[in-house]
Amino acid sequence: MAVKIGPQPEKWLRKKAKQGMRGYPVGTLAFYGPDDRRASKVAVSVIRYEGAEPDLRRWFSEASDVRTDPTFLSEIAAHLRQNSVHSVVMVDGIIGCPHEEGVDYPMNQSCPECPYWKGRDRWTGELDPN
């Protein structure tokens, strides 16, 4: 059964995030991309109660930015609504490479597909001086 979100899922997500913690279940969104300009992956989790393991789902895009693509945003909003989230936590920026360490490339190494992130702090975007 489809859940009606309305014509502006991005607005619904941002509004939900601005409301702050309103209880469980909590939905989280984290964006990843090959650089700091285009998010090619979004990881969305639903945490049903405090201490619960997150139920994780990922969306990927080869061409568009998942932060602004209406199709992805509609699917994400529908997923969160279907899981009856009361709170949404999301970052505005891109917080790292879309590839997974230990899965897509060896542990303790930089991703060979995303040189932008080599030696870069995922939260500030600045290069590590070391």
Side-chain angles (χ1 to χ4, degrees):
M1 171 171 57
V3 175
K4 185 168 173 73
I5 300 299
Q8 299 176 324
E10 180 178 10
K11 186 176 179 180
W12 180 85
L13 287 166
R14 293 204 182 279
K15 181 180 177 183
K16 207 66 167 149
K18 282 183 181 179
Q19 291 174 341
M21 182 60 170
R22 299 173 63 89
Y24 289 90
V26 175
T28 68
L29 287 81
F31 299 101
Y32 302 89
D35 55 37
D36 65 341
R37 292 173 300 210
R38 184 178 71 85
S40 60
K41 172 184 173 182
V42 58
V44 178
S45 70
V46 174
I47 304 168
R48 302 206 182 287
Y49 54 88
E50 187 172 352
E53 285 295 316
D55 177 18
L56 181 64
R57 185 166 172 201
R58 299 172 185 95
W59 281 262
F60 300 90
S61 174
E62 291 295 322
S64 66
D65 190 320
V66 296
R67 296 173 298 175
T68 57
D69 187 299
T71 303
F72 288 104
L73 294 172
S74 291
E75 289 181 21
I76 292 163
H79 175 67
L80 294 174
R81 293 279 300 262
Q82 287 168 347
N83 283 280
S84 303
V85 299
H86 291 218
S87 308
V88 171
V89 178
M90 59 190 272
V91 294
D92 283 332
I94 298 170
I95 60 168
C97 164
H99 304 100
E100 295 184 36
E101 184 179 29
V103 175
D104 298 317
Y105 61 94
M107 294 294 290
N108 301 317
Q109 292 187 18
S110 296
C111 176
E113 300 291 322
C114 302
Y116 174 83
W117 293 105
K118 184 175 183 176
R120 195 171 295 272
D121 182 287
R122 68 175 41 218
W123 303 108
T124 67
E126 296 177 12
L127 285 172
D128 183 7
N130 296 330

